[in-house]
Amino acid sequence: MLRVVLANRQPLLARAAAPMAMRSMSETAQAAFKDIFKKYYTENYRNTLFSRMKKDVIKVTDANQDGIISEEELRALLANIGANMSDDDILALMALGSEDGKGIPNKTFLKLLG
């Protein structure tokens, strides 16, 4: 139980240490990202649970099935669904979701989707 609590606190501590401008940019990028996928969901998955759509997105996005969404995979996903996100927003999402700088773990990516 203690490990879970500590594991959940680490991203919060990392975010608290980030400069205020980076945090607000990350929050803006995350909100834009959620809006993109809510729109995608309503246009393409009307009769499906949102959770099912998120699983489908993970399956398609994580091309090499390593459990990590790389920046290239994220960019490919956004291009495939016709979403427009700035480079700064994509980098902010990667910084927000990545614990080690290598990419966003699938579980974290699911949380970013909303």
Side-chain angles (χ1 to χ4, degrees), residues 61-66 68-78 106:
T61 305
D62 190 9
N64 59 4
Q65 301 296 307
D66 65 350
I68 303 288
I69 306 297
S70 68
E71 182 180 338
E72 294 79 24
E73 290 170 330
L74 178 60
R75 288 182 185 277
L77 168 69
L78 294 170
N106 287 352

Coordinates of all heavy atoms in Angstrom, one line a residue, residues 61-66 68-78 106:
T61 N -2.1 3.4 -31.3 CA -1.0 4.4 -31.2 C 0.3 3.7 -30.8 O 1.3 4.1 -31.3 CB -1.4 5.4 -30.1 OG1 -2.7 6.0 -30.4 CG2 -0.4 6.5 -29.9
D62 N 0.2 2.8 -29.9 CA 1.5 2.1 -29.4 C 1.9 1.1 -30.5 O 1.7 -0.1 -30.3 CB 1.3 1.5 -28.1 CG 2.5 1.0 -27.4 OD1 3.6 1.2 -28.0 OD2 2.5 0.3 -26.4
A63 N 2.4 1.6 -31.6 CA 2.7 0.7 -32.7 C 3.7 -0.4 -32.4 O 3.5 -1.5 -32.9 CB 3.3 1.6 -33.8
N64 N 4.7 -0.2 -31.6 CA 5.6 -1.3 -31.3 C 5.2 -2.1 -30.1 O 5.9 -3.0 -29.7 CB 7.0 -0.8 -31.1 CG 7.1 0.3 -30.0 OD1 6.2 0.6 -29.3 ND2 8.3 0.8 -29.9
Q65 N 4.1 -1.8 -29.5 CA 3.5 -2.5 -28.4 C 4.5 -2.7 -27.2 O 4.5 -3.7 -26.5 CB 3.0 -3.9 -28.8 CG 1.9 -3.9 -29.9 CD 0.6 -3.2 -29.4 OE1 0.1 -3.6 -28.4 NE2 0.2 -2.2 -30.2
D66 N 5.2 -1.6 -26.9 CA 6.2 -1.7 -25.8 C 5.6 -1.1 -24.5 O 6.3 -1.0 -23.5 CB 7.5 -1.0 -26.2 CG 7.3 0.5 -26.4 OD1 6.2 1.0 -26.5 OD2 8.4 1.2 -26.5
I68 N 4.7 2.0 -24.1 CA 5.1 3.4 -24.0 C 4.7 4.1 -25.3 O 5.0 3.7 -26.4 CB 6.7 3.6 -23.8 CG1 7.2 2.8 -22.6 CG2 7.1 5.0 -23.8 CD1 6.8 3.4 -21.3
I69 N 4.1 5.3 -25.2 CA 3.7 6.1 -26.3 C 4.9 7.1 -26.5 O 5.1 8.0 -25.7 CB 2.4 6.9 -26.1 CG1 1.3 5.9 -25.8 CG2 2.1 7.7 -27.4 CD1 0.9 4.9 -26.8
S70 N 5.6 7.0 -27.6 CA 6.7 7.9 -28.0 C 6.2 9.1 -28.6 O 5.0 9.2 -29.0 CB 7.7 7.2 -28.9 OG 7.1 7.0 -30.2
E71 N 7.0 10.1 -28.7 CA 6.6 11.4 -29.3 C 6.2 11.1 -30.8 O 5.2 11.7 -31.3 CB 7.7 12.4 -29.3 CG 7.4 13.7 -29.9 CD 8.5 14.8 -29.8 OE1 9.4 14.6 -29.0 OE2 8.4 15.7 -30.6
E72 N 6.9 10.3 -31.5 CA 6.6 10.0 -32.9 C 5.3 9.3 -33.0 O 4.5 9.6 -33.9 CB 7.7 9.1 -33.5 CG 9.1 9.7 -33.6 CD 9.8 9.8 -32.3 OE1 9.6 9.0 -31.4 OE2 10.7 10.7 -32.2
E73 N 5.0 8.4 -32.0 CA 3.7 7.7 -32.1 C 2.6 8.7 -31.8 O 1.5 8.6 -32.4 CB 3.7 6.5 -31.0 CG 4.6 5.4 -31.4 CD 4.8 4.3 -30.4 OE1 4.7 4.7 -29.1 OE2 5.0 3.2 -30.7
L74 N 2.8 9.6 -30.8 CA 1.8 10.6 -30.5 C 1.5 11.5 -31.7 O 0.4 11.8 -32.1 CB 2.2 11.4 -29.3 CG 1.2 12.6 -28.9 CD1 -0.1 12.0 -28.6 CD2 1.8 13.3 -27.8
R75 N 2.6 11.9 -32.4 CA 2.4 12.8 -33.6 C 1.7 12.0 -34.7 O 0.8 12.6 -35.4 CB 3.8 13.3 -34.1 CG 4.4 14.3 -33.2 CD 5.7 14.8 -33.7 NE 6.4 15.7 -32.8 CZ 6.1 17.0 -32.7 NH1 5.2 17.5 -33.5 NH2 6.7 17.8 -31.8
A76 N 2.0 10.7 -34.9 CA 1.3 9.9 -35.9 C -0.2 9.8 -35.6 O -1.0 9.9 -36.5 CB 2.0 8.6 -36.0
L77 N -0.5 9.6 -34.3 CA -1.9 9.5 -33.9 C -2.6 10.8 -34.2 O -3.7 10.8 -34.8 CB -2.0 9.2 -32.4 CG -3.4 9.4 -31.8 CD1 -4.3 8.3 -32.3 CD2 -3.3 9.3 -30.3
L78 N -2.1 11.9 -33.8 CA -2.7 13.2 -34.0 C -2.9 13.5 -35.5 O -3.9 14.0 -36.0 CB -1.9 14.3 -33.3 CG -1.9 14.2 -31.8 CD1 -0.9 15.2 -31.2 CD2 -3.3 14.5 -31.2
N106 N 1.4 3.7 -21.2 CA 0.0 3.6 -21.6 C -1.0 4.0 -20.6 O -2.0 4.6 -20.9 CB -0.3 2.1 -22.1 CG 0.4 1.9 -23.5 OD1 0.9 2.8 -24.1 ND2 0.4 0.6 -23.9

